[in-house]
Structures are given as structure tokens and as C-alpha cells.
Amino acid sequence: MPASIERDERRDREEAPGTAAAPSGILWIASYPKSGNTWTRAFLNNLLKIMQDDDAGAPQSINRMTEYTLWDIAAKPYERHLGKPVTEADRAEIARIRPAVQAEIAERTEGLAMVKTHHALVSDRGVPAINFAVTSGAIYIVRNPLDVAISYAHHLGSDIDYAIEEMALRNKETGVSDKSVYEIYGSWSQHVESWTRAPHRAIHVMRYEDMLADPAAAFGALARHLLLSPSPEQLATAMERSSFAALKQQEDEAGFSEKPDSAERFFREGRADQWRDRLTPRQVRAVVTAHHQQMRRFGYLTDELLPLLE
């Protein structure tokens, strides 16, 4: 039975994450796939190491980002609760214990636990996919779906048409493997709307395009949101060490453990407006038709695209 991604307004208001005087619990680093989540985590890893004087003059390895940022879908914690492999559990069983797994992450972390997620902010089989009781806040990164389609196709090892179809699937869920449980994406529009539909002081929203155009402003605002006060030199060094070129070089030299087998590489181009060169008019129309409402909210539905809706 597929997860229900239809949420009522009352539950949204009741379950919105709150802030705490002394930050603790989980800080979610959330996004639809291929929208800048790994870039954001790399920046935070580098900045925290620099501010703690623990960087030894070298960038944080992309293969050691779990030092500061975690993921909540690793199979082993679920298997401890289930008493069996996750591949032998049905999805309702996994959904029921997800809040307990997330609570354990918060409990064993001093201060904020920064956790990567591609979950939409939804209910999964009657259980919240995000445990609000242990949530302090969230960083949400959004990217133009026209560019996401290209990066997602490379990530899936598929053609762009297939990626566009996947991005339009309501209630989309990933698979379960011996290494991880499933995530609930929903469609691109569902995902974006679920995290951003109601502005909340504990949810800091970033556009991928702004991170590219003015990284000092974007990442400086992120640091301030997290109540960090890096010096201009610390901020600049963290941005340099987490630049796309730096991350790509690390992958070239040492590989990247998070790269899926289906992808040739994880860090590919990292630029905006790739769609102008890569998507056909038909593909552009398909993305705009499916996602124009959320695209309009974030400035992606430009005047040149509006005729596609006529």
C-alpha cells in the first residue's frame, strides 16, 4: 500500500518543528535529490572543523562527512528494532519504527544532530516521516526542476525523459536494500511544497541558484541561522573547500562512497541553467506543466516559460 502524502492543514500547524532556547535534537538538511544537499553538508562539515580548530589545514574528506552530518535511513538501527533484516520487513513496519530511530539519533548526539534527508515532510502510513518531537529545525534546499531533471537522470543512470517522469510521480517512494530503508520523495512539487508551504522561523530555505550566484551571502546567512559566528576568513575558507571544483577533485582522487552504482560520477557540473542546452522543448514543457505552481513561488517560472502553460 503506497504512503499517503495528503496532509491536512490542522496537522501541519500542530506538527511544525519548533525552536529551542538551547538548540538540541535533529537539524534536518532536507532537499529533493540532486538539489545541493551534499554541497550544503560539505560546507557545514568544513566550517565546523575550521571553527573548532580541528581541520589541520586540510578540507574535510567527502567520505567522512558523517563526522558532523548523519543520515537516518541506514538499515542497522532499523534492524535492531525490527529484530530482522529490513529486506524482510514490510513498509508499514518500517514506518512505525522510524520515529524511534530518529529519536535515538537525537539522544546520542550532544547538541544538534545534523541529519541529511530526502524525505518529503509528510505522513507515511499514518506515521510522520519526520519525528517532530526530536526536531529542532531544518535547512531546506530547492533547485530549478529543469536542472534537477538533468542531474537526476545522471544519478539514476537513465535518460532525461525517465527522470522527468519520476519527478512527476505523486507519492514516489524509493526501494529497500540491505543497506538502507526507503525514503518518501513524492513528486518534486509535493516535496518542495511540503517543506516550504508555510514559512517557519525554524526552517531556513536556500535556493541552489543563489548559492552559486552569491555563495558568501547564501552560506553566511546559513551560518547566522545556525547561530554560528565565523570570521570572514573562516567563512571564505569553508566555502573554498566545499566549492564544486574542490568536491569534484576529491571524488576524482578518492571516489565518493555516496555515489550510486548507476551513476558515472556524483559531482558532475554543478551549474545553473543547464536545461537551456540539454532539454528539448517537449521536455521543458513537461516539467513546466507538472511543476509550474511551485516553480512560480521560487522564481523559476520566468516570462519566457509562461507561454508553455497556454
Side-chain angles (χ1 to χ4, degrees), residues 251-285:
E251 183 180 15
D252 289 341
E253 294 174 351
F256 185 30
S257 59
E258 295 183 21
K259 181 189 77 67
D261 294 337
S262 57
E264 182 178 345
R265 60 179 306 117
F266 192 93
F267 301 103
R268 196 178 52 83
E269 290 191 33
R271 62 183 178 90
D273 289 335
Q274 298 175 51
W275 65 271
R276 295 181 181 278
D277 304 320
R278 297 293 307 280
L279 298 190
T280 67
R282 176 184 58 78
Q283 290 169 333
V284 173
R285 181 183 293 274

Side-chain angles (χ1 to χ4, degrees), residues 55-116:
D55 66 316
Q60 170 74 315
S61 167
I62 57 175
N63 292 310
R64 295 181 60 187
M65 287 198 291
T66 54
E67 288 185 18
Y68 290 99
T69 55
L70 308 171
W71 209 349
D72 77 315
I73 62 170
K76 287 185 179 179
Y78 287 84
E79 290 174 346
R80 287 199 298 270
H81 285 269
L82 290 166
K84 59 184 176 182
V86 293
T87 52
E88 296 177 9
D90 63 40
R91 296 193 175 215
E93 290 177 299
I94 293 172
R96 282 196 297 272
I97 64 171
R98 196 188 301 273
V101 171
Q102 294 174 0
E104 285 183 353
I105 293 173
E107 290 167 4
R108 70 171 185 254
T109 306
E110 183 177 352
L112 285 176
M114 295 189 293
V115 181
K116 168 186 176 176

Side-chain angles (χ1 to χ4, degrees):
M1 178 178 179
S4 171
I5 302 203
E6 304 301 329
R7 304 172 299 139
D8 63 63
E9 297 288 342
R10 182 173 59 81
R11 181 169 12 175
D12 288 345
R13 292 193 296 270
E14 291 174 350
E15 295 185 337
T19 56
S24 62
I26 293 177
L27 173 72
W28 298 100
I29 306 174
S31 71
Y32 193 84
K34 309 309 295 180
S35 299
N37 198 304
T38 302
W39 182 13
T40 303
R41 289 188 295 134
F43 166 76
L44 289 172
N45 270 261
N46 279 291
L47 181 63
L48 290 170
K49 287 183 76 72
I50 291 167
M51 293 186 69
Q52 294 176 13
D53 198 24
D54 187 35
D55 66 316
Q60 170 74 315
S61 167
I62 57 175
N63 292 310
R64 295 181 60 187
M65 287 198 291
T66 54
E67 288 185 18
Y68 290 99
T69 55
L70 308 171
W71 209 349
D72 77 315
I73 62 170
K76 287 185 179 179
Y78 287 84
E79 290 174 346
R80 287 199 298 270
H81 285 269
L82 290 166
K84 59 184 176 182
V86 293
T87 52
E88 296 177 9
D90 63 40
R91 296 193 175 215
E93 290 177 299
I94 293 172
R96 282 196 297 272
I97 64 171
R98 196 188 301 273
V101 171
Q102 294 174 0
E104 285 183 353
I105 293 173
E107 290 167 4
R108 70 171 185 254
T109 306
E110 183 177 352
L112 285 176
M114 295 189 293
V115 181
K116 168 186 176 176
T117 188
H118 289 316
H119 281 307
L121 192 59
V122 297
S123 176
D124 175 18
R125 295 162 177 84
V127 180
I130 299 295
N131 184 347
F132 297 104
V134 296
T135 293
S136 178
I139 301 162
Y140 187 76
I141 310 108
V142 62
R143 184 183 187 187
N144 190 334
L146 292 166
D147 284 333
V148 171
I150 301 167
S151 293
Y152 196 33
H154 283 273
H155 184 78
L156 296 172
S158 71
D159 60 35
I160 292 175
D161 284 335
Y162 179 79
I164 289 172
E165 292 172 2
E166 289 288 292
M167 290 170 61
L169 286 178
R170 294 186 63 82
N171 307 339
K172 164 71 179 177
E173 296 181 3
T174 63
V176 177
S177 73
D178 58 351
K179 295 182 179 179
S180 64
V181 299
Y182 67 95
E183 286 187 296
I184 308 166
Y185 295 171
S187 69
W188 180 88
S189 289
Q190 283 179 301
H191 200 288
V192 172
E193 183 180 17
S194 74
W195 282 98
T196 68
R197 65 190 299 174
H200 195 283
R201 62 181 180 176
I203 301 178
H204 181 73
V205 180
M206 304 172 67
R207 287 198 335 156
Y208 183 91
E209 294 74 21
D210 297 332
M211 294 158 65
L212 285 171
D214 193 346
F219 288 112
L222 173 58
R224 290 191 297 274
H225 176 74
L226 298 178
L227 304 180
L228 299 173
S229 300
S231 68
E233 293 76 16
Q234 289 173 326
L235 184 64
T237 301
M239 290 189 300
E240 179 182 353
R241 292 179 179 177
S242 57
S243 68
F244 185 82
L247 300 178
K248 187 175 182 179
Q249 181 178 348
Q250 280 204 46
E251 183 180 15
D252 289 341
E253 294 174 351
F256 185 30
S257 59
E258 295 183 21
K259 181 189 77 67
D261 294 337
S262 57
E264 182 178 345
R265 60 179 306 117
F266 192 93
F267 301 103
R268 196 178 52 83
E269 290 191 33
R271 62 183 178 90
D273 289 335
Q274 298 175 51
W275 65 271
R276 295 181 181 278
D277 304 320
R278 297 293 307 280
L279 298 190
T280 67
R282 176 184 58 78
Q283 290 169 333
V284 173
R285 181 183 293 274
V287 173
V288 171
T289 300
H291 305 297
H292 61 92
Q293 291 180 331
Q294 299 308 311
M295 290 179 70
R296 187 190 301 274
R297 292 182 60 220
F298 287 93
Y300 300 137
L301 190 66
T302 57
D303 289 344
E304 67 177 306
L305 297 175
L306 284 173
L308 297 178
L309 300 176
E310 296 175 354

